[in-house]
Amino acid sequence: MSQPKEIPLMEKIVSLCKRRGFIFQSSEIYGGINGFWDYGPLGTELKRNLRETWWRAMTREREDVVGLDATIIMHPAIWKASGHVDTFSDPMVDCLVTKKRFRADHVEPQSGVVYSWTGASDLDSREKLSQLSLAGGISEEEADFLNEIKSASDDRNVERLVSEREAILRGRLLWKRLFSTVREEPFRVLLPVGKPPESARKIAKQFYQTRGIANPYLDGETTAKVENSRAFNPENGAQLTEPKPFNLMFHTFVGATASEDDKAYLRPETAQAIFAQFKNVVDSTRQKVPFGICQIGKAFRNEVTPRNFTFRSREFEQMELEFFIKPDEAIEAVCGSVAPWHKGADLSAPQPNWGWELWHRYWVAQRTDYYASIGLGPDVLDYWWQGKADLAHYARACVDILFKFPFGTEELEGIAARGDFDLTAHQNASGKSQEVFDDEVKQAFAKWPDDQRAALVERKKAEQRAKEKGGMTDEQTAAWCDRLFKGFYVPHVIEPSAGLDRLALAVLTLAYAEVEKTDAKGNKETVTLMRFHPRIAPIKAAVFPLLKNKPELVAKARSVYDILKKHVAADYDEGGSIGRRYARQDEAGTPFGITIDFDTLGEKGPELKDTVTLRHRDDARQERVKIDELLGRLLPLVQ
Ligand code: GAP
């Protein structure tokens, strides 16, 4: 007997997301639009909860972070200054046959036999050519000369000779026209070892047809073996174009003229608005460095290959914090030295002598704690510390927090130590100072003797000279130190940057579970359970009257629902057997089910009156709880 085909996990999750209203394809009734997704009723609640937990952890529960809600379209100069206009691109390759586009670094490496051709000519033309007698073809000068003697002489022999030569000339012109259907453009196809060469030739002919050769005859075929090549389309083996940079920003026009001058961009990250509003936030709040500004909002990237469901989308939401810190030299002045990071360093509470490295480590730890608080523990997370070669020239360190998705371990969040690159870039481009004044730093440097300050200047110069890219000149370094000694500096930044949609996908894949159940008749069935952490579950509690045709049960259940719904996302469900209703809520990931039965009405005696059955989703455990105590039990678990 053949085994039923195993459905891949991601397929099941995508299907459940649609069936239960977590995630739908955008514009599905028109066939969808690649890289765009809509969140249904359950998905919307899930996302709101994730947003809320992040916001609470990053701002409300902290005194040193404030929020921002900026526009999606900003002055285009922001994206020029930030480097996005010039460098925010992915290397892109196209299939020379199908024109399908790939991100060069996403093409799977392949091995096999490469078939190469030097070009192709049109088969029909070749046949016609072979029928033509071209021997003795004449040059254009000769044709002119023949014309001349034809008009100058009435000798019949000369006339015959001229006619013959004219026929040859016509043949030559025809040959020239036909010859233009020869394409001297090399092309290659990669075939896995053992596949018949004809399939490579078929692809090559398709290629030359796209170049205008109707019936291609392939010229100069050779073969060679290759290993791990990314130069071929994994779907058909056809040669890909050389990688070309493709800017990922979507653009639009602001105003009615729609000229190049009105070009604007949909923000590809929320971070830049934080930098652009840094001074306004400093001036309008009592925050002092170190402090942070965070923002949650939509970002747009015209990804070359959107893929893995919502993982790489073209419209998505980011949750970003820019945490501004003093330069290490300022810490050195104020505290005497910068605390070094070491394995096991206490990162529980920020200290005045922390430099960028400890702050960076601190934020990695904070973000890890956040993920644990919503159910993403160390067993499903991983970390990728970028090596020196991978880092942007201005970054001092960057770590990606990775999640074990069903399709691989992939980035959930990046945490970068970006130095003062961003604020300095906006300061230079806008001409508006992004410095802060720090009296403590000024006072500290005032106590330094001249030679100590001079030594710092020299050390800083050497450090900048050693940079391969982006280092300050000696003059700039001296000016920077001079400003610092007076208490002025552009703050440095640590940036934890997370994707809300990626997080939603992570919790959806983590929550998904299948359990086998046996019904009263002994029949086994596999049911789906979404084991969301109660804090992020879309619905926290569902209220069920045991029977819907008993008005007293229904009235009591409704009154319990009315109490709960003011405080938590609750659901009321009276349709179908109680088992079916539990199953429906299990699949939506509702952690608590509350059943109102005859005991609630006091039919079995006063001690159970006004108590309900509280059912726990994950182990189907049931307990009796007083209605008055329900909220007190649930709130600490779901908030
Ligand atoms: N400001 C820094 C920044 O934007 P990033 O690594 O490009 O850094 C940060 O993006 C996070 O945004 C990623 O870790 C990921 O969670 C999310 N993200 C980026 N591109 C995405 C996409 N195309 N679809 C979904 N999420 C994306």
Side-chain angles (χ1 to χ4, degrees):
M1 203 173 77
S2 69
Q3 293 291 317
K5 205 173 145 226
E6 181 75 25
I7 303 171
L9 178 60
M10 265 321 282
E11 233 173 81
K12 291 183 189 173
I13 291 169
V14 172
S15 154
L16 174 110
C17 281
K18 178 172 167 161
R19 185 159 46 80
R20 291 310 311 262
F22 282 100
I23 302 175
F24 306 128
Q25 197 181 15
S26 166
S27 328
E28 195 190 286
I29 58 167
Y30 291 101
I33 170 165
N34 198 8
F36 296 87
W37 301 94
D38 294 340
Y39 288 80
L42 288 180
T44 306
E45 289 290 340
L46 176 70
K47 239 177 129 178
R48 282 177 70 92
N49 293 341
L50 290 171
R51 220 184 265 122
E52 184 57 32
T53 54
W54 187 91
W55 193 257
R56 219 167 52 203
M58 300 301 264
T59 64
R60 299 251 169 90
E61 291 172 3
R62 304 186 61 100
E63 291 172 29
D64 56 358
V65 179
V66 290
L68 183 77
D69 187 0
T71 57
I72 285 168
I73 294 176
M74 297 186 279
H75 196 293
I78 285 184
W79 306 110
K80 185 74 189 156
S82 67
H84 284 79
V85 169
D86 296 325
T87 59
F88 191 58
S89 52
D90 277 340
M92 172 210 75
V93 287
D94 294 323
C95 172
L96 282 167
V97 174
T98 61
K99 307 291 175 226
K100 187 166 172 184
R101 187 156 277 191
F102 301 87
R103 227 176 95 167
D105 52 335
H106 285 175
V107 176
E108 285 298 321
Q110 302 159 84
S111 304
V113 179
V114 174
Y115 287 78
S116 309
W117 296 271
T118 53
S121 46
D122 193 272
L123 200 56
D124 301 336
S125 312
R126 286 174 77 94
E127 272 163 19
K128 279 182 206 138
L129 263 178
S130 67
Q131 291 157 15
L132 279 173
S133 165
L134 297 171
I138 53 175
S139 67
E140 276 167 29
E141 297 88 70
E142 194 182 354
D144 291 342
F145 172 69
L146 286 173
N147 276 337
E148 259 176 51
I149 53 171
K150 188 181 165 190
S151 52
S153 165
D154 55 2
D155 183 323
R156 295 188 65 144
N157 277 339
V158 171
E159 220 172 277
R160 188 174 49 79
L161 184 68
V162 168
S163 304
E164 274 176 23
R165 300 307 277 179
E166 268 183 343
I168 290 167
L169 175 64
R170 275 198 298 278
R172 183 184 164 83
L173 289 176
L174 178 63
W175 182 83
K176 260 191 169 175
R177 191 173 61 74
L178 293 172
F179 190 78
S180 68
T181 60
V182 174
R183 188 89 198 174
E184 282 173 0
E185 181 180 353
F187 180 69
R188 296 180 301 148
V189 175
L190 174 72
L191 278 193
V193 175
K195 250 192 136 183
E198 257 328 298
S199 52
R201 292 180 192 131
K202 192 171 155 202
I203 297 287
K205 285 178 184 169
Q206 285 171 8
F207 164 71
Y208 287 110
Q209 276 165 350
T210 68
R211 295 293 202 255
I213 303 193
N215 192 3
Y217 175 89
L218 302 173
D219 291 325
E221 181 176 298
T222 52
T223 58
K225 281 200 170 149
V226 297
E227 296 283 336
N228 297 322
S229 170
R230 290 181 190 268
F232 301 90
N233 181 348
E235 292 162 9
N236 62 3
Q239 185 184 331
L240 296 167
T241 56
E242 284 301 310
K244 272 184 284 178
F246 171 74
N247 195 295
L248 300 185
M249 283 197 293
F250 281 102
H251 66 252
T252 184
F253 297 99
V254 174
T257 13
S259 71
E260 265 308 289
D261 293 344
D262 305 317
K263 194 166 166 181
Y265 302 94
L266 304 194
R267 66 182 177 202
E269 61 171 23
T270 57
Q272 292 305 321
I274 297 179
F275 297 123
Q277 292 293 7
F278 169 72
K279 270 300 207 161
N280 275 335
V281 174
V282 169
D283 293 345
S284 61
T285 64
R286 289 173 49 242
Q287 294 293 341
K288 297 252 175 306
V289 177
F291 83 99
I293 306 174
C294 70
Q295 174 165 221
I296 299 179
K298 289 272 190 180
F300 303 81
R301 294 183 189 178
N302 197 2
E303 295 285 357
V304 178
T305 41
R307 61 177 182 173
N308 288 331
F309 199 18
T310 57
F311 179 81
R312 192 176 303 285
S313 307
R314 288 181 165 139
E315 176 175 339
F316 55 97
E317 227 167 316
Q318 284 189 316
M319 306 186 289
E320 297 200 289
L321 166 69
E322 305 303 325
F323 195 82
F324 300 99
I325 57 174
K326 297 177 208 241
D328 278 10
E329 292 79 0
I331 301 292
E332 198 181 324
V334 173
C335 300
S337 65
V338 175
W341 178 80
H342 59 89
K343 217 168 184 267
D346 180 5
L347 297 171
S348 56
Q351 299 300 317
N353 63 348
W354 279 9
W356 71 266
E357 198 173 9
L358 272 159
W359 273 113
H360 185 239
R361 297 275 175 173
Y362 165 79
W363 276 110
V364 177
Q366 287 289 300
R367 299 299 303 137
T368 302
D369 290 350
Y370 164 76
Y371 286 120
S373 78
I374 55 166
L376 275 61
D379 51 327
V380 292
L381 295 183
D382 209 341
Y383 300 84
W384 180 61
W385 287 84
Q386 286 188 16
K388 266 209 153 51
D390 305 305
L391 285 175
H393 67 86
Y394 49 80
R396 285 165 149 167
C398 186
V399 58
D400 287 347
I401 300 186
L402 314 173
F403 175 79
K404 293 174 185 163
F405 287 98
F407 44 82
T409 300
E410 299 275 1
E411 178 185 338
L412 199 54
E413 163 162 359
I415 305 174
R418 298 174 62 92
D420 59 1
F421 173 79
D422 304 274
L423 284 180
T424 304
H426 288 301
Q427 174 169 277
N428 294 342
S430 67
K432 308 266 171 21
S433 167
Q434 300 300 310
E435 286 178 336
V436 292
F437 172 67
D438 194 326
D439 196 44
E440 198 184 18
V441 173
K442 181 182 165 189
Q443 301 304 334
F445 275 118
K447 291 185 196 136
W448 277 30
D450 287 350
D451 57 344
Q452 196 181 356
R453 285 208 294 265
L456 182 103
V457 176
E458 288 315 309
R459 199 182 77 204
K460 186 87 185 163
K461 279 182 184 168
E463 212 180 273
Q464 294 296 311
R465 281 185 217 128
K467 283 190 176 178
E468 271 175 29
K469 218 178 147 194
M472 290 189 281
T473 61
D474 283 0
E475 217 175 48
Q476 286 168 331
T477 306
W480 184 89
C481 289
D482 193 44
R483 294 292 290 162
L484 185 68
F485 297 155
K486 291 178 181 143
F488 292 97
Y489 57 83
V490 172
H492 288 224
V493 75
I494 308 291
E495 179 193 66
S497 169
L500 177 53
D501 305 80
R502 276 199 195 168
L503 181 54
L505 184 60
V507 298
L508 277 162
T509 60
L510 184 64
Y512 186 91
E514 290 173 357
V515 287
E516 203 168 75
K517 285 212 166 150
T518 312
D519 67 15
K521 292 179 192 150
N523 299 322
K524 287 196 162 110
E525 69 167 335
T526 303
V527 295
T528 309
L529 200 65
M530 294 301 279
R531 291 195 164 119
F532 293 119
H533 189 290
R535 259 191 213 116
I536 56 166
I539 303 167
K540 310 296 185 196
V543 182
F544 316 113
L546 186 63
L547 299 171
K548 72 168 176 186
N549 54 2
K550 295 283 174 213
E552 313 90 296
L553 288 178
V554 168
K556 196 73 182 170
R558 282 231 159 253
S559 72
V560 172
Y561 171 62
D562 287 344
I563 296 170
L564 292 180
K565 77 178 184 193
K566 292 201 181 80
H567 302 272
V568 295
D571 199 4
Y572 173 82
D573 188 358
E574 58 178 29
S577 74
I578 195 76
R580 277 273 146 241
R581 284 182 269 167
Y582 284 154
R584 238 183 343 250
Q585 293 295 337
D586 284 349
E587 212 182 37
T590 308
F592 303 106
I594 294 156
T595 308
I596 281 71
D597 54 19
F598 293 105
D599 294 351
T600 317
L601 303 179
E603 291 196 1
K604 274 205 192 139
E607 62 282 4
L608 289 182
K609 190 167 186 307
D610 285 333
T611 65
V612 293
T613 303
L614 179 66
R615 176 183 177 271
H616 298 256
R617 175 198 63 203
D618 294 344
D619 52 9
R621 186 163 45 91
Q622 300 197 358
E623 56 177 319
R624 216 59 210 179
V625 176
K626 286 188 181 147
I627 292 173
D628 287 351
E629 292 171 6
L630 255 183
L631 264 180
R633 280 290 301 279
L634 296 185
L635 284 182
L637 301 172
V638 302
Q639 284 185 336

